[in-house]
């Protein structure tokens, strides 16, 4: 067993990768210039719904620097497939979801503003853009579908094969048990609300650079992506119809993703296809306006929720009906977000006996909607924590009291929506959050605000999320079209230094630091002796990438399993060197020892012996010290936490300030507290950004009205308070690190906390997100 007493695990080591980022030495996709480089530009539809009568590229082809122009007809002639969806959902009646084609360049109809109509390839990016302006497209503009709540009743159809615009109507839970519980309820709290559509806005826009090698008929794609092996699999096997081995995908430094770079997009697929036709590499980097229009958006739910209680405020049943906007096409994981990742979390932290959720997913003439930081979990938490807070008010109980009354307190706990929580202590996180927020002193602060003519409110949010999507066999039964395992390879060099190859991908999470801490801690090495390699399908084992706060719990566990194999083999080598039995060798602090003696050999010497096998039992041990492992979890991990938000409002202007925000999370064991705190801060900023400021707005014709940073409001430093964050620890019971995941928590729990605080201050039942100053002012006037 490894002695971890001097381990770097649990230490706040500075992020190793920051050195290159802060000094401008990072290499992003747009930094890569290949020999013979050309540049691509996509002509996009200005209409949300339009039939393409004709395309005339004559003038554009004659423009300076133009190498080639491709349209949807070229794609159709090559018999290239459309983009696939990675999760099959069945409707309540057992019928499979509707899967209309998702072309990489449209040939017949454009279905949202930004749909790809043509690809121009030129010697420079400006020449490609100038030439695109010369393409003449004759559009027949059609009625657009842009209202999520009314999409199924619209007169127009986004796809001719889906006349009612409904992709599926899915149900989850026990409807009969819920109905019976409502019939016996002493009180029912009901709320209706919209979970506003968000645009990801990663710092680095999407980018791709594709090349083709004629000598071996192979392709290389550099792309800003979160899971390069999944990108390769989907593109090669399902779209281009080429052997997967003929496509190498490299995701170099990536400037943020937040889920929006998980998916297979049309642009990079078109570039790979076109690179063979032009015989030169093609690079495309999205302009910010393109990102607003075409990056997969997030959220966009319209929901009615009802909570049944007995006379004491014990929860009896929860009933939820949601209409979820999928946009114009099914994105890679779009179908799973408002179903498997949403309804299964509606139990929250509570022992509600019966839950039923029905989800109607609809197509609209808007950008595709898919996973965005939290992916279904923020939407579920908002439903649960808003209605629980309102129920407390309806029952004249404090928000903390009604939560404590209904907390799950014994584990493992099987929820009525299909999950089994392995561990947790919800009372501990709530108690610590209340103490840090000085809830006991709130009444005095509220009185002081009232003396100054201001309103003050306090809001709670107690979230839970499911991370490390797993296991593959259960996910497959629920519709997943891919495995959910992760892979790791640990290569020990003759000098005792280590290179780790991981299928996880780092784009801000700090894997190059935390994964090195784990390996160094297990092997008793200095952290600087461990190198982490990720993001290149030509070097790393097949893995599923990074999303859903899975990297350490799943990817880290795969690495630990590979390290364990290294130690096991090292023990056998050490036994030979020390002339002892294998069973007598223990590994502690980087040394193999004969138990009960002072005889030992350092890890580096064992590594050297593995590669210089003089006096080595080759008949029993093969040379080398290189091991790999795959890990498929047996369950999700379940991070949870309690957030308390305090606001002060000027009712005359609607201006408000978040005076205090406390976040206490249970992430299980923590490898690097500093990195975890940074992840929480970032998540809180995004969650509060949704609740306070952000929201994509389409008009009735399908035009995005706030498609730039000039009019899409993003949170700034002065919008946010000095967060108070802390943790409680209940280790995960089914992975060797005891970790749960931390990357999405802040974005999951914070929106409900803020809206609960605002509605508490205003004395109203509901307030739509984003809670702009105008909306707050109107609510204050209405209440007055």
């Amino acid at each position: 067993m490894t002695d971890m007493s001097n381990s770097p695990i649990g230490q706040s080591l500075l992020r190793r990768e920051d050195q290159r980022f802060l000094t401008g030495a990072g290499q992003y996709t747009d930094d890569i210039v290949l020999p013979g480089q050309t540049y691509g530009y996509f002509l996009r539809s200005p209409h949300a719904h339009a039939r393409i009568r004709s395309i005339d590229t004559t003038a554009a082809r004659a423009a300076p620097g133009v190498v080639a122009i491709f349209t949807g007809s070229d794609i159709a002639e090559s018999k290239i497939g459309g983009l696939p969806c990675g999760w099959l959902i069945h409707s309540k009646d057992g019928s499979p979801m509707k899967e209309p084609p998702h072309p990489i360049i449209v040939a017949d109809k454009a279905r949202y503003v930004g749909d790809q109509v043509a690809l121009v390839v030129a010697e420079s990016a400006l020449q490609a853009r100038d030439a695109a302006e010369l393409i003449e497209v004759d559009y027949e503009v059609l009625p657009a579908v842009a209202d999520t709540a009314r999409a199924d009743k619209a007169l127009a159809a986004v796809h001719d094969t889906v006349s009612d615009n409904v992709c599926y109507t899915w149900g989850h839970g026990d409807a009969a048990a819920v109905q019976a519980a409502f019939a016996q309820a002493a009180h029912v709290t009901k709320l209706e609300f919209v979970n506003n559509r968000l645009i990801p806005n990663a710092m680095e826009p999407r980018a791709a650079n594709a090349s083709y090698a004629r000598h071996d008929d192979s392709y290389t794609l550099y792309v800003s992506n979160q899971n390069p092996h999944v990108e390769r699999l989907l593109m090669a096997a399902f779209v281009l119809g080429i052997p997967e081995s003929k496509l190498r995908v490299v995701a170099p430094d990536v400037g943020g993703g937040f889920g929006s770079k998980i998916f297979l997009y049309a642009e990079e697929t078109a570039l790979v296809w076109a690179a063979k036709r032009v015989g030169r590499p093609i690079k495309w980097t999205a302009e910010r306006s393109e990102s607003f229009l075409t990056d997969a958006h997030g959220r966009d739910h319209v929901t009615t929720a009802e909570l049944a209680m007995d006379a004491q405020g014990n929860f009896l049943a929860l009933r939820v009906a949601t209409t979820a906007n999928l946009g114009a096409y099914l994105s890679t994981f779009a179908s799973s977000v408002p179903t498997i990742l949403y309804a299964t979390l509606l139990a929250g932290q509570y022992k509600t006996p019966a839950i039923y959720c029905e989800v109607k997913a609809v197509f609209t003439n808007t950008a595709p909607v898919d996973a965005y930081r939290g992916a279904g979990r923020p939407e579920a938490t908002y439903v649960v924590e808003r209605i629980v807070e309102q129920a407390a008010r309806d029952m004249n109980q404090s928000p903390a009291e009604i939560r404590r009354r209904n907390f799950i307190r014994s584990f493992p706990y099987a929820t009525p929506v299909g999950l089994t929580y392995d561990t947790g202590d919800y009372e501990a996180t709530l108690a610590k959050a209340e103490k840090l927020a000085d809830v006991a002193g709130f009444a005095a602060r509220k009185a002081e605000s009232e003396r100054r003519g201001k309103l003050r409110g306090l809001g709670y949010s107690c979230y839970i999320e499911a991370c490390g999507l797993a296991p593959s066999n259960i996910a497959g039964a629920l519709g997943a079209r891919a495995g959910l395992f992760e892979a790791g390879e640990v290569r020990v060099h003759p000098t005792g230094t280590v290179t780790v190859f991981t299928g996880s991908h780092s784009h801000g999470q700090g894997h190059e630091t935390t994964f090195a801490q784990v390996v160094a801690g297990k092997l008793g090495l200095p952290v600087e002796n461990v190198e982490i390699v990720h993001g290149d399908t030509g070097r790393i084992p097949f893995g599923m990438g990074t999303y859903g706060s899975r990297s350490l719990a799943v990817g880290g566990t795969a690495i630990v399993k590979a390290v364990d194999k290294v130690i096991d083999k090292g023990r056998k080598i050490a036994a030979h060197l020390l002339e002892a039995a294998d069973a007598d060798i223990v590994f502690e602090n980087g040394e193999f020892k004969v138990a009960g003696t002072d005889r030992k050999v350092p890890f580096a010497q064992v590594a050297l012996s593995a590669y210089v096998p003089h006096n080595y039992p080759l008949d029993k041990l093969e040379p080398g010290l290189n091991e790999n492992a795959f890990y498929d979890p047996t369950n999700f991990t379940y991070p949870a936490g309690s957030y308390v938000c305090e606001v002060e409002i000027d009712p005359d202007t609607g201006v408000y300030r978040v005076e205090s925000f406390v976040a206490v999370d249970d992430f299980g064991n923590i490898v690097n507290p500093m990195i975890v705190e940074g992840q929480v801060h970032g998540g809180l900023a995004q969650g509060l950004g949704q609740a306070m400021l952000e929201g994509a707005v389409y008009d009735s014709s399908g035009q995005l009205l706030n498609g730039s940073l000039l009019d899409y409001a993003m949170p700034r430093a002065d919008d946010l308070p000095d967060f108070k964050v802390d943790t409680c620890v209940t280790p995960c019971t089914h992975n060797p690190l005891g970790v749960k995941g931390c990357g999405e928590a802040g974005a999951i729990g914070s929106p409900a906390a803020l809206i609960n605080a605002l509605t508490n201050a205003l004395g109203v039942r509901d307030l739509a997100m984003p809670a702009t100053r105008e909306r707050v002012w109107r609510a204050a006037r209405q209440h007055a």
Side-chain angles (χ1 to χ4, degrees):
M1 186 174 181
T2 305
D3 183 353
M4 305 291 282
S5 59
N6 297 314
S7 172
I9 296 174
Q11 304 301 313
S12 291
L13 302 187
L14 295 179
R15 296 195 343 160
R16 304 163 72 184
E17 46 269 72
D18 286 349
Q19 176 66 27
R20 70 175 185 274
F21 295 144
L22 294 174
T23 58
Q27 186 178 58
Y28 299 88
T29 299
D30 189 59
D31 294 324
I32 297 167
V33 179
L34 302 173
Q37 186 73 68
T38 66
Y39 298 83
Y41 182 87
F42 288 92
L43 178 69
R44 302 184 182 277
S45 171
H47 306 292
H49 198 195
R51 198 176 311 280
I52 299 173
R53 291 193 179 114
S54 65
I55 300 178
D56 186 353
T57 62
T58 305
R61 291 181 189 278
V66 171
V67 175
I69 296 177
F70 302 102
T71 65
S73 61
D74 298 309
I75 300 294
E77 288 173 7
S78 296
K79 302 190 183 327
I80 296 300
L83 302 182
C85 180
W87 206 294
L88 175 64
I89 295 296
H90 286 82
S91 288
K92 293 189 303 178
D93 62 7
S95 61
M97 67 186 187
K98 307 295 192 308
E99 293 187 77
H102 186 175
I104 61 175
I105 299 178
V106 297
D108 57 346
K109 275 206 314 185
R111 292 178 174 86
Y112 71 100
V113 175
D115 220 347
Q116 296 80 220
V117 174
L119 167 61
V120 179
V121 182
E123 299 292 347
S124 74
L126 287 177
Q127 287 174 326
R129 180 174 183 170
D130 289 345
E133 294 179 357
L134 300 176
I135 297 176
E136 296 182 4
V137 185
D138 183 10
Y139 293 102
E140 176 192 349
V141 179
L142 304 171
V145 181
D147 188 329
T148 301
R150 297 179 177 84
D152 61 328
K153 301 176 181 63
L155 298 177
V158 177
H159 298 275
D160 296 341
T161 56
V162 188
S163 59
D164 61 356
N165 296 315
V166 176
C167 178
Y168 56 77
T169 301
W170 178 84
H172 189 62
D174 190 335
V178 167
Q179 184 174 354
F182 270 80
Q184 299 175 8
H187 178 79
V188 173
T189 292
K190 180 178 179 180
L191 283 178
E192 298 178 358
F193 34 71
V194 172
N195 204 294
N196 43 321
R197 176 185 280 239
L198 303 176
I199 299 174
N201 278 301
M203 186 177 294
E204 178 206 20
R206 285 191 295 122
N209 195 343
S211 64
Y212 172 73
R214 194 171 304 279
H215 72 278
D216 63 355
D217 192 30
S218 68
Y219 303 81
T220 299
L221 172 66
Y222 295 91
V223 63
S224 183
N225 181 267
Q226 298 177 218
N227 45 1
H229 267 295
V230 175
E231 172 103 353
R232 181 176 79 155
L233 172 64
L234 296 178
M235 186 185 296
F238 294 95
V239 185
L240 300 180
I242 61 175
E244 190 179 357
S245 60
K246 292 295 184 180
L247 175 61
R248 176 189 175 201
V249 175
V250 182
D253 288 329
V254 173
F258 312 114
S260 69
K261 294 176 182 174
I262 299 171
F263 323 120
L264 178 64
Y265 282 96
E267 290 88 353
E268 59 251 31
T269 310
L271 293 190
V272 172
W273 172 83
K276 182 175 182 178
R277 272 99 194 133
V278 303
R280 295 169 62 184
I282 310 170
K283 179 162 70 172
W284 165 80
T285 301
E287 298 176 357
R288 184 59 64 178
S289 58
E290 285 183 287
S291 297
F292 272 93
L293 290 174
T294 65
D295 286 5
H297 293 180
R299 316 292 191 249
D300 204 343
H301 285 192
V302 177
T303 295
T304 299
E306 299 170 280
L307 179 62
M309 293 167 284
D310 66 14
Q312 288 72 45
N314 295 301
F315 301 162
L316 303 178
L318 176 67
R319 183 162 54 204
V320 177
T322 293
T323 300
N325 193 344
L326 299 174
Y329 303 103
L330 278 169
S331 181
T332 308
F333 297 111
S335 56
S336 67
V337 174
T339 51
I340 304 302
L341 300 179
Y342 169 65
T344 56
L345 272 300
L346 288 173
Q349 299 184 5
Y350 311 109
K351 56 182 188 291
T352 311
I355 300 173
Y356 181 72
C357 178
E358 186 167 301
V359 178
K360 181 182 293 183
V362 295
F363 293 112
T364 62
N365 293 116
T366 62
V369 179
D370 209 318
Y372 174 69
R373 197 169 191 171
R377 282 74 56 85
E379 295 92 318
T381 294
Y382 192 74
V383 169
V384 173
E385 290 306 293
R386 284 289 295 114
I387 202 162
V388 166
E389 193 94 352
Q390 185 58 49
R393 297 168 190 173
D394 291 350
M395 300 295 288
N396 292 317
Q397 296 181 17
S398 77
E401 176 189 356
I402 201 168
R403 286 177 168 86
R404 287 189 166 99
R405 181 184 298 277
N406 289 282
F407 272 159
I408 298 164
R409 296 184 182 275
S410 61
F411 297 89
Y413 178 84
T415 74
V417 278
L419 300 182
T420 299
Y421 303 164
D422 63 325
T423 186
D425 188 345
Y426 309 141
E427 170 60 36
T429 58
L430 180 56
K432 184 176 281 191
E434 287 191 299
K435 182 177 181 180
L436 286 174
D438 186 21
V439 171
F442 173 71
R445 296 191 297 274
K446 182 178 177 68
E448 171 58 23
S449 294
E450 289 175 349
R451 187 186 65 78
R452 294 182 286 106
K454 305 293 176 64
L455 305 175
R456 186 173 283 257
L458 195 70
Y460 289 73
S461 178
C462 296
Y463 79 92
I464 191 167
E465 59 169 323
C467 300
L469 297 180
S472 291
N473 58 348
I474 293 178
L478 294 173
R481 288 166 166 166
L484 296 172
F485 56 85
E486 197 47 82
E489 178 183 349
V490 177
R491 184 180 301 172
V492 181
H493 302 290
T495 57
T497 60
V498 176
T499 300
V500 176
F501 300 87
T502 175
S504 299
H505 185 272
S506 182
H507 42 277
Q509 292 84 356
H511 294 170
E512 294 176 38
T513 303
T514 54
F515 283 6
Q517 286 180 255
V518 169
V519 174
K522 291 282 289 182
L523 294 177
L525 300 176
V527 173
E528 55 269 21
N529 284 9
V530 181
E531 176 192 12
I532 307 297
V533 176
H534 63 92
D536 184 346
T537 63
R539 300 183 66 189
I540 63 173
F542 189 100
M544 302 307 294
T546 291
Y547 49 85
S549 302
R550 74 190 297 270
S551 294
L552 195 56
V554 187
T557 297
I559 292 169
V560 167
K561 287 181 171 292
V563 169
D564 288 340
K565 292 181 180 180
V566 166
I567 293 172
D568 287 343
K569 184 174 181 180
R571 186 178 289 113
K572 295 175 182 178
I573 298 171
H576 174 74
L577 296 174
L578 295 169
E579 299 180 340
D582 296 359
D584 292 334
I585 302 297
V586 295
F587 184 64
E588 297 175 348
N589 297 324
E591 296 175 325
F592 292 94
K593 304 177 181 179
V594 179
T597 75
D598 60 356
R599 296 165 59 205
K600 59 188 178 181
V601 60
F603 179 79
Q605 185 177 340
V606 168
L608 183 62
S609 297
Y611 289 98
V612 186
H614 300 164
N615 190 28
Y616 188 89
L618 291 172
D619 57 329
K620 298 179 181 178
L621 284 173
E622 63 183 14
L625 199 52
N626 182 28
E627 300 288 348
N628 57 39
F630 286 80
Y631 174 64
D632 198 330
T634 57
N635 193 2
F636 292 93
T637 62
Y638 298 100
S642 295
Y643 293 175
V644 180
C645 177
E646 188 169 328
V647 298
E648 186 179 72
I649 304 170
D650 183 343
D652 295 329
T653 64
V655 173
Y656 63 91
R657 284 183 53 83
V658 180
E659 296 290 342
S660 169
F661 199 103
V662 169
V664 178
D665 299 283
D666 178 0
F667 298 134
N669 293 333
I670 291 175
V671 171
N672 187 309
M674 181 195 70
I675 288 178
V676 166
E677 185 174 350
Q679 287 286 314
V680 173
H681 278 230
L684 292 175
Q686 282 186 279
L688 291 176
Q690 173 181 10
M692 299 169 69
L693 300 161
E694 297 184 52
V697 180
Y698 284 91
D699 68 12
S700 59
S701 69
Q703 293 290 333
L704 181 62
L705 299 182
N706 53 346
S708 75
L709 292 173
L710 192 64
D711 41 24
Y712 182 91
M714 300 282 288
R716 301 183 181 187
D718 60 356
D719 293 314
L720 305 172
D722 184 13
F723 299 124
K724 298 177 184 177
V725 302
D726 207 338
T727 57
C728 295
V729 176
T730 59
C732 175
T733 61
H734 54 81
N735 68 59
L737 292 169
V739 297
K740 298 182 180 182
C742 69
E744 298 165 299
I748 291 170
S750 55
L754 176 69
I755 299 300
N756 285 339
L758 289 171
T759 54
N760 173 246
L762 293 164
V764 298
R765 288 183 67 85
D766 199 17
L767 182 68
M769 293 192 294
T772 62
R773 293 172 178 180
E774 179 188 358
R775 283 178 171 165
V776 170
W777 176 80
R778 291 185 182 279
R781 299 281 292 176
Q782 178 184 359
H783 177 62

